[in-house]
Amino acid sequence: DKYFGVPYSNDMPIASTMALSDEIHLRKGMTVEMIRNYDSLKIENKSHQTPLLKDNEVIEFPADQTTLTRRYTEFCVDFINTNSDEDPFFVYLAHTMPHIPIFASDQFRGKSKGGLYGDVIEEIDWSVGEIIKALKDNGVLENTLVIFTSDNGPWLSFGNHGGSAGGLRGGKFDIWEGGFRVPAIMSWPGIITPGSINDQLISTLDILPTIAHMTGAKLPTKEIDGINVMSAWKGEHMPVLDERYFYYFNNSEIRAVRKGNWKYVSPHRGGIVIEPGKDGVNGKSEGRDFPEALYDLKSDVTESKNVLGKHAELQISFKEVIQNFSKEIFSEARPIGVIE
């Protein structure tokens, strides 16, 4: 119903054909004519000049990225204040930060002990607090599910601007746990027990079917990968999660698969070895050959002990699973949608 934000990653430029608001705020010497001929312009860091949209129109270009976290938060709080009497309402707040390039507002820049990246996270933490406060002030916190999570692990080649996976191996663009395991914190007073923890494998693929179950909405007739995991969100153990397979892709190829605590990695070329950059500069990354491997993530979360030789039966089983799922994807592929 309403939209406010950049239309894609903040390291992507404007499309010259975008609809422009009559009241567009042009920055950095930009003009409408320059936007219409943007592809031919020679501008330093053009890729970092992203548009800011309200609904379907560009209202600012290039977007002042130092203010995005604050402005998203204000828009979200205003939406809650306006719609809290409605039952139900839905907000999807996809913060632009900490995607590269990162920015913090004057209020937070230089305030943390973690450099600019730390400042960015401090401001996102403030944002969460403002939204929780708005829910409380409107008397709807008790009946609101709040999900805080992310889409992938750190972009390691950007060094101290790319984040950290802690003790996990790898990051964005590879098939190791550091690229896939992300924070997932949920609050729903009266439904989710405060402080409860579930260490089963739950995916963002499960959010859609779970919310559909909550609201009574119908799922697509075409089979999807996610399942209703409300019981797990409540802290209960779901046996079905121990039995299902999770697939790790690198581009369009399945490179690894997990079931329970077992993770099988197929031999492949194209894994990423990272040489981090400094102060937000992209470092070097190169491909290498990775051998076939099997890891017990219960005892080896760092994926450093290949136990393939001790479990030949799992090797055969996982290879067959990958082959079957690859065939299934090919046979059930849907055409790319087209917007009229």
Side-chain angles (χ1 to χ4, degrees):
D1 300 312
K2 294 181 181 294
Y3 182 84
F4 179 66
V6 302
Y8 27 58
S9 298
N10 62 328
D11 59 349
M12 298 171 65
I14 194 170
S16 60
T17 56
M18 283 183 169
L20 307 180
S21 169
D22 293 336
E23 300 177 355
I24 186 173
H25 177 209
L26 296 170
R27 305 174 61 248
K28 307 290 186 179
M30 277 292 150
T31 65
V32 171
E33 183 180 3
M34 292 171 71
I35 292 175
R36 294 309 181 209
N37 296 281
Y38 197 72
D39 293 342
S40 62
L41 295 182
K42 296 182 178 180
I43 302 175
E44 186 178 358
N45 287 330
K46 180 189 287 188
S47 64
H48 291 180
Q49 293 195 337
T50 193
L52 179 65
L53 275 68
K54 186 172 183 181
D55 298 328
N56 294 316
E57 293 184 335
V58 178
I59 62 170
E60 181 177 289
F61 181 74
D64 181 358
Q65 296 205 42
T66 65
T67 65
L68 289 184
T69 299
R70 174 179 57 79
R71 292 159 79 183
Y72 289 177
T73 305
E74 292 172 349
F75 187 88
C76 183
V77 168
D78 181 68
F79 183 88
I80 292 172
N81 291 339
T82 303
N83 294 277
S84 60
D85 291 337
E86 301 293 329
D87 188 18
F89 67 86
F90 173 78
V91 175
Y92 174 49
L93 173 54
H95 275 299
T96 296
M97 313 302 153
H99 192 280
I100 301 297
I102 56 175
F103 300 88
S105 68
D106 292 340
Q107 180 183 355
F108 288 91
R109 188 176 179 90
K111 301 298 183 181
S112 79
K113 297 179 180 179
L116 180 57
Y117 190 92
D119 299 340
V120 167
I121 301 304
E122 292 264 4
E123 190 159 16
I124 292 175
D125 183 62
W126 163 83
S127 172
V128 174
E130 290 296 296
I131 292 166
I132 295 298
K133 182 176 182 297
L135 294 172
K136 286 182 179 179
D137 291 345
N138 285 278
V140 294
L141 179 63
E142 296 297 314
N143 195 34
T144 299
L145 169 64
V146 180
I147 301 173
F148 181 88
T149 189
S150 185
D151 55 349
N152 53 252
W155 201 335
L156 297 176
S157 59
F158 279 93
N160 58 12
H161 281 205
S164 169
L168 299 177
R169 180 179 181 179
K172 184 176 181 177
F173 298 125
D174 62 37
I175 51 86
W176 310 112
E177 293 302 285
F180 283 78
R181 292 198 187 198
V182 294
I185 304 169
M186 302 183 189
S187 170
W188 193 1
I191 303 296
I192 297 177
T193 303
S196 60
I197 297 173
N198 190 302
D199 61 2
Q200 291 188 276
L201 176 58
I202 300 172
S203 167
T204 48
L205 294 170
D206 300 320
I207 293 178
L208 169 63
T210 305
I211 292 180
H213 169 77
M214 288 168 48
T215 61
K218 293 183 178 180
L219 290 172
T221 55
K222 187 75 173 181
E223 184 178 356
I224 61 174
D225 293 313
I227 63 174
N228 170 23
V229 292
M230 177 54 69
S231 296
W233 287 2
K234 292 179 180 179
E236 301 172 13
H237 185 90
M238 291 183 60
V240 66
L241 295 179
D242 296 330
E243 297 300 319
R244 73 171 177 174
Y245 293 95
F246 181 78
Y247 301 90
Y248 299 73
F249 282 77
N250 184 266
N251 293 320
S252 60
E253 299 293 327
I254 303 175
R255 301 300 191 192
V257 61
R258 176 180 169 184
K259 179 183 179 183
N261 290 312
W262 290 107
K263 180 176 179 180
Y264 169 80
V265 178
S266 61
H268 64 278
R269 172 73 179 175
I272 303 295
V273 177
I274 300 295
E275 181 180 320
K278 295 181 179 180
D279 297 325
V281 177
N282 195 359
K284 298 178 181 179
S285 60
E286 59 181 14
R288 57 169 282 192
D289 291 319
F290 284 94
E292 188 177 22
L294 180 70
Y295 301 103
D296 180 0
L297 298 178
K298 184 175 182 179
S299 59
D300 179 28
V301 73
T302 61
E303 298 171 279
S304 58
K305 301 174 183 178
N306 185 354
V307 295
L308 185 68
K310 300 178 181 179
H311 302 276
E313 73 286 355
L314 289 177
Q315 176 191 23
I316 296 172
S317 174
F318 277 126
K319 290 176 72 172
E320 182 178 352
V321 165
I322 289 178
Q323 292 174 355
N324 291 340
F325 192 61
S326 297
K327 293 178 181 177
E328 181 180 343
I329 290 175
F330 181 79
S331 64
E332 297 188 4
R334 283 165 277 184
I336 297 175
V338 177
I339 298 176
E340 299 293 341

